[in-house]
Amino acid sequence: PSNILIDYCMYNRCYTHPFADKSCAKNEKPQLRMQQWRDLMGGAVPSIYGYHFDCWGQRELTPVERVIQDEMKWARDFGVTYWHTELFQNRLETVKGKPAPDPLDDQILTLRFPVYCATRLAWNPDLDLGDVKRDWCTRVYGAAKDEMAAYFTALEDLWSAATTHPSWYFVGPSEFVDGILNAANIAKIDALFAAGEKKLAGSTDARAKDNFTLDRRQWEHWRDMKLARDSRRQ
């Protein structure tokens, strides 16, 4: 019936590789299941409910912009008319007698850039992600816009080239960080943040500085996870 909405909850996909990457075998299953449900439903197409932002949890930035764009295009071409994905927001309230809440404990703050991209792409999945990224960085990071655009691009490249295939939701990120980061790309991204910090040093743009600091903390959380694992092996 036209007044019934049926979602396919696509947590069985790989969050690092787009459907267009045929080398990722894990992504064959959700596409097959969507086709099987369409056949069972007499040609009607189920909606998609995703878990892209639940891959790890709160504190880990998940650079899924390319994955989401690819999935939205695939869904549109498959006939999906309703695509949505899960996102949590924690209320970061200050409670008397307790430590101040950490912004990294709010998923919307941690993931605000990929969430922004997903929102823009929901209107038009054919947008140029590079243009969306430059718009975001110019508005959010001020003098450090070029370094932050390069940072997000570096993360997207590492994510796409990952040798790991995280799926489902709230999995342990430390299991996958070895397949994403290494000493060379850590040094490259650290240098981008050092250059951005230098540019912002003389700036009076407090908002840009706050946003830059939050993203640097997110990066350091990933970086230190990898460095700790490497240290334990030595």
Side-chain angles (χ1 to χ4, degrees), residues 113-147:
F113 172 62
V115 168
Y116 173 74
C117 288
T119 305
R120 292 285 305 274
L121 292 168
W123 287 96
N124 178 9
D126 293 317
L127 286 175
D128 186 314
L129 268 181
D131 291 341
V132 174
K133 185 189 311 171
R134 283 186 289 273
D135 175 59
W136 169 267
C137 291
T138 298
R139 294 173 184 271
V140 175
Y141 305 108
K145 62 182 186 300
D146 292 336
E147 287 74 18

Short mmCIF file of all heavy atoms in Angstrom, two decimals, residues 113-147:
data_model
loop_
_atom_site.label_atom_id
_atom_site.label_comp_id
_atom_site.label_asym_id
_atom_site.label_seq_id
_atom_site.Cartn_x
_atom_site.Cartn_y
_atom_site.Cartn_z
N PHE A 113 31.33 18.05 9.55
CA PHE A 113 31.65 18.21 8.13
C PHE A 113 30.98 17.14 7.27
O PHE A 113 30.30 17.48 6.29
CB PHE A 113 33.16 18.23 7.90
CG PHE A 113 33.51 18.21 6.44
CD1 PHE A 113 33.12 19.25 5.60
CD2 PHE A 113 34.21 17.15 5.88
CE1 PHE A 113 33.43 19.23 4.24
CE2 PHE A 113 34.52 17.13 4.54
CZ PHE A 113 34.13 18.18 3.72
N PRO A 114 31.14 15.83 7.55
CA PRO A 114 30.43 14.85 6.72
C PRO A 114 28.91 14.99 6.80
O PRO A 114 28.21 14.70 5.82
CB PRO A 114 30.91 13.50 7.24
CG PRO A 114 31.56 13.76 8.54
CD PRO A 114 32.05 15.16 8.49
N VAL A 115 28.38 15.43 7.96
CA VAL A 115 26.94 15.66 8.05
C VAL A 115 26.52 16.80 7.13
O VAL A 115 25.50 16.73 6.44
CB VAL A 115 26.53 15.97 9.51
CG1 VAL A 115 25.10 16.50 9.59
CG2 VAL A 115 26.66 14.72 10.37
N TYR A 116 27.32 17.86 7.09
CA TYR A 116 27.06 18.97 6.18
C TYR A 116 27.05 18.48 4.72
O TYR A 116 26.15 18.82 3.94
CB TYR A 116 28.11 20.05 6.38
CG TYR A 116 28.06 21.18 5.37
CD1 TYR A 116 27.05 22.14 5.43
CD2 TYR A 116 29.02 21.30 4.37
CE1 TYR A 116 27.00 23.19 4.52
CE2 TYR A 116 28.98 22.33 3.46
CZ TYR A 116 27.97 23.28 3.54
OH TYR A 116 27.93 24.30 2.63
N CYS A 117 28.03 17.66 4.38
CA CYS A 117 28.10 17.12 3.01
C CYS A 117 26.87 16.29 2.70
O CYS A 117 26.29 16.42 1.61
CB CYS A 117 29.36 16.27 2.84
SG CYS A 117 30.89 17.21 2.79
N ALA A 118 26.46 15.43 3.63
CA ALA A 118 25.29 14.58 3.40
C ALA A 118 24.04 15.42 3.19
O ALA A 118 23.19 15.11 2.35
CB ALA A 118 25.10 13.62 4.57
N THR A 119 23.92 16.50 3.97
CA THR A 119 22.76 17.38 3.84
C THR A 119 22.73 18.05 2.47
O THR A 119 21.68 18.13 1.82
CB THR A 119 22.78 18.45 4.95
OG1 THR A 119 22.86 17.79 6.22
CG2 THR A 119 21.52 19.29 4.91
N ARG A 120 23.88 18.53 2.03
CA ARG A 120 23.96 19.16 0.70
C ARG A 120 23.66 18.14 -0.40
O ARG A 120 22.94 18.42 -1.36
CB ARG A 120 25.34 19.77 0.50
CG ARG A 120 25.67 20.97 1.37
CD ARG A 120 24.97 22.24 0.89
NE ARG A 120 25.25 22.54 -0.50
CZ ARG A 120 26.33 23.25 -0.92
NH1 ARG A 120 27.20 23.71 -0.03
NH2 ARG A 120 26.51 23.48 -2.20
N LEU A 121 24.22 16.94 -0.26
CA LEU A 121 24.05 15.91 -1.29
C LEU A 121 22.62 15.39 -1.35
O LEU A 121 22.17 14.92 -2.40
CB LEU A 121 25.01 14.75 -1.03
CG LEU A 121 26.49 15.06 -1.22
CD1 LEU A 121 27.35 13.94 -0.65
CD2 LEU A 121 26.82 15.30 -2.69
N ALA A 122 21.90 15.47 -0.23
CA ALA A 122 20.50 15.03 -0.24
C ALA A 122 19.66 15.86 -1.21
O ALA A 122 18.68 15.37 -1.77
CB ALA A 122 19.92 15.10 1.18
N TRP A 123 20.05 17.10 -1.40
CA TRP A 123 19.37 17.95 -2.38
C TRP A 123 19.82 17.65 -3.80
O TRP A 123 19.04 17.72 -4.74
CB TRP A 123 19.63 19.43 -2.06
CG TRP A 123 18.91 19.92 -0.85
CD1 TRP A 123 19.41 20.00 0.42
CD2 TRP A 123 17.56 20.35 -0.77
NE1 TRP A 123 18.45 20.47 1.28
CE2 TRP A 123 17.31 20.71 0.57
CE3 TRP A 123 16.54 20.49 -1.71
CZ2 TRP A 123 16.07 21.18 1.01
CZ3 TRP A 123 15.31 20.96 -1.28
CH2 TRP A 123 15.09 21.30 0.06
N ASN A 124 21.12 17.32 -3.93
CA ASN A 124 21.66 17.06 -5.26
C ASN A 124 22.90 16.18 -5.12
O ASN A 124 24.00 16.68 -4.85
CB ASN A 124 22.02 18.38 -5.96
CG ASN A 124 22.64 18.15 -7.33
OD1 ASN A 124 22.64 17.03 -7.85
ND2 ASN A 124 23.18 19.20 -7.92
N PRO A 125 22.77 14.86 -5.31
CA PRO A 125 23.92 13.97 -5.13
C PRO A 125 25.00 14.13 -6.19
O PRO A 125 26.08 13.55 -6.06
CB PRO A 125 23.30 12.56 -5.20
CG PRO A 125 22.01 12.75 -5.92
CD PRO A 125 21.53 14.12 -5.59
N ASP A 126 24.73 14.93 -7.23
CA ASP A 126 25.73 15.14 -8.27
C ASP A 126 26.63 16.34 -8.01
O ASP A 126 27.46 16.69 -8.85
CB ASP A 126 25.04 15.32 -9.63
CG ASP A 126 24.34 14.06 -10.10
OD1 ASP A 126 24.94 12.98 -9.96
OD2 ASP A 126 23.20 14.14 -10.58
N LEU A 127 26.48 16.99 -6.86
CA LEU A 127 27.33 18.12 -6.53
C LEU A 127 28.80 17.72 -6.55
O LEU A 127 29.15 16.58 -6.27
CB LEU A 127 26.98 18.67 -5.15
CG LEU A 127 25.69 19.47 -5.00
CD1 LEU A 127 25.48 19.82 -3.52
CD2 LEU A 127 25.72 20.74 -5.84
N ASP A 128 29.67 18.67 -6.86
CA ASP A 128 31.11 18.46 -6.80
C ASP A 128 31.53 18.53 -5.33
O ASP A 128 31.43 19.59 -4.70
CB ASP A 128 31.83 19.52 -7.62
CG ASP A 128 33.32 19.28 -7.72
OD1 ASP A 128 33.95 18.99 -6.67
OD2 ASP A 128 33.87 19.39 -8.83
N LEU A 129 32.00 17.41 -4.78
CA LEU A 129 32.38 17.40 -3.37
C LEU A 129 33.53 18.35 -3.07
O LEU A 129 33.64 18.89 -1.97
CB LEU A 129 32.78 15.98 -2.94
CG LEU A 129 31.67 15.10 -2.36
CD1 LEU A 129 32.23 13.75 -1.97
CD2 LEU A 129 31.01 15.76 -1.15
N GLY A 130 34.38 18.57 -4.05
CA GLY A 130 35.47 19.53 -3.86
C GLY A 130 34.94 20.94 -3.64
O GLY A 130 35.44 21.67 -2.77
N ASP A 131 33.89 21.31 -4.38
CA ASP A 131 33.28 22.63 -4.19
C ASP A 131 32.62 22.74 -2.82
O ASP A 131 32.72 23.77 -2.15
CB ASP A 131 32.25 22.90 -5.28
CG ASP A 131 32.87 23.09 -6.65
OD1 ASP A 131 34.09 23.38 -6.72
OD2 ASP A 131 32.15 22.96 -7.67
N VAL A 132 31.92 21.67 -2.42
CA VAL A 132 31.26 21.65 -1.11
C VAL A 132 32.31 21.79 0.00
O VAL A 132 32.13 22.53 0.97
CB VAL A 132 30.44 20.36 -0.92
CG1 VAL A 132 29.87 20.27 0.48
CG2 VAL A 132 29.33 20.27 -1.96
N LYS A 133 33.42 21.09 -0.15
CA LYS A 133 34.50 21.13 0.85
C LYS A 133 35.11 22.53 0.95
O LYS A 133 35.33 23.04 2.06
CB LYS A 133 35.56 20.11 0.46
CG LYS A 133 36.67 19.93 1.47
CD LYS A 133 37.77 19.06 0.88
CE LYS A 133 37.20 17.80 0.27
NZ LYS A 133 38.20 17.03 -0.49
N ARG A 134 35.39 23.14 -0.21
CA ARG A 134 35.99 24.47 -0.19
C ARG A 134 35.04 25.49 0.44
O ARG A 134 35.47 26.39 1.17
CB ARG A 134 36.38 24.88 -1.61
CG ARG A 134 37.66 24.21 -2.10
CD ARG A 134 38.08 24.74 -3.44
NE ARG A 134 37.19 24.31 -4.51
CZ ARG A 134 37.31 23.18 -5.18
NH1 ARG A 134 38.29 22.34 -4.87
NH2 ARG A 134 36.47 22.85 -6.14
N ASP A 135 33.74 25.36 0.15
CA ASP A 135 32.75 26.25 0.75
C ASP A 135 32.76 26.11 2.27
O ASP A 135 32.77 27.10 3.00
CB ASP A 135 31.37 25.93 0.17
CG ASP A 135 30.26 26.72 0.83
OD1 ASP A 135 30.31 27.97 0.77
OD2 ASP A 135 29.33 26.11 1.40
N TRP A 136 32.75 24.88 2.75
CA TRP A 136 32.75 24.61 4.19
C TRP A 136 34.00 25.19 4.84
O TRP A 136 33.93 25.91 5.85
CB TRP A 136 32.68 23.11 4.43
CG TRP A 136 32.93 22.69 5.84
CD1 TRP A 136 34.14 22.32 6.39
CD2 TRP A 136 31.98 22.63 6.92
NE1 TRP A 136 33.99 21.99 7.72
CE2 TRP A 136 32.68 22.19 8.06
CE3 TRP A 136 30.62 22.88 7.00
CZ2 TRP A 136 32.05 22.00 9.29
CZ3 TRP A 136 29.99 22.69 8.23
CH2 TRP A 136 30.71 22.27 9.35
N CYS A 137 35.16 24.89 4.28
CA CYS A 137 36.42 25.31 4.89
C CYS A 137 36.58 26.82 4.90
O CYS A 137 37.11 27.40 5.86
CB CYS A 137 37.60 24.64 4.17
SG CYS A 137 37.69 22.85 4.45
N THR A 138 36.12 27.48 3.85
CA THR A 138 36.19 28.94 3.79
C THR A 138 35.33 29.58 4.88
O THR A 138 35.74 30.55 5.53
CB THR A 138 35.74 29.44 2.41
OG1 THR A 138 36.64 28.91 1.41
CG2 THR A 138 35.77 30.96 2.35
N ARG A 139 34.15 29.02 5.09
CA ARG A 139 33.22 29.59 6.06
C ARG A 139 33.58 29.25 7.51
O ARG A 139 33.25 30.00 8.43
CB ARG A 139 31.80 29.09 5.78
CG ARG A 139 31.22 29.58 4.47
CD ARG A 139 29.89 28.90 4.18
NE ARG A 139 29.36 29.28 2.89
CZ ARG A 139 28.57 30.33 2.67
NH1 ARG A 139 28.24 31.12 3.68
NH2 ARG A 139 28.12 30.60 1.46
N VAL A 140 34.27 28.12 7.71
CA VAL A 140 34.46 27.60 9.06
C VAL A 140 35.86 27.86 9.62
O VAL A 140 36.01 28.13 10.81
CB VAL A 140 34.14 26.09 9.11
CG1 VAL A 140 34.45 25.49 10.47
CG2 VAL A 140 32.67 25.86 8.76
N TYR A 141 36.90 27.82 8.77
CA TYR A 141 38.27 27.85 9.29
C TYR A 141 39.05 29.11 8.96
O TYR A 141 40.22 29.22 9.32
CB TYR A 141 39.04 26.63 8.78
CG TYR A 141 38.36 25.33 9.12
CD1 TYR A 141 37.75 24.57 8.13
CD2 TYR A 141 38.30 24.88 10.43
CE1 TYR A 141 37.11 23.39 8.43
CE2 TYR A 141 37.65 23.69 10.75
CZ TYR A 141 37.06 22.95 9.74
OH TYR A 141 36.41 21.78 10.05
N GLY A 142 38.44 30.05 8.28
CA GLY A 142 39.11 31.33 8.03
C GLY A 142 40.45 31.18 7.33
O GLY A 142 40.55 30.56 6.27
N ALA A 143 41.49 31.72 7.96
CA ALA A 143 42.82 31.74 7.34
C ALA A 143 43.40 30.34 7.12
O ALA A 143 44.30 30.16 6.29
CB ALA A 143 43.78 32.56 8.20
N ALA A 144 42.89 29.35 7.83
CA ALA A 144 43.40 27.98 7.69
C ALA A 144 42.58 27.15 6.71
O ALA A 144 42.66 25.92 6.70
CB ALA A 144 43.42 27.29 9.06
N LYS A 145 41.80 27.81 5.86
CA LYS A 145 40.89 27.08 4.96
C LYS A 145 41.61 26.13 4.02
O LYS A 145 41.13 25.01 3.77
CB LYS A 145 40.05 28.08 4.16
CG LYS A 145 40.82 29.00 3.23
CD LYS A 145 39.89 29.96 2.53
CE LYS A 145 40.60 30.82 1.48
NZ LYS A 145 41.69 31.64 2.09
N ASP A 146 42.77 26.53 3.50
CA ASP A 146 43.47 25.68 2.53
C ASP A 146 44.02 24.42 3.21
O ASP A 146 43.94 23.31 2.66
CB ASP A 146 44.60 26.45 1.86
CG ASP A 146 44.09 27.56 0.96
OD1 ASP A 146 42.93 27.47 0.49
OD2 ASP A 146 44.83 28.53 0.73
N GLU A 147 44.59 24.61 4.39
CA GLU A 147 45.14 23.46 5.12
C GLU A 147 44.04 22.49 5.53
O GLU A 147 44.23 21.26 5.46
CB GLU A 147 45.89 23.95 6.36
CG GLU A 147 47.22 24.61 6.07
CD GLU A 147 47.08 26.02 5.49
OE1 GLU A 147 45.98 26.63 5.63
OE2 GLU A 147 48.07 26.51 4.91
#
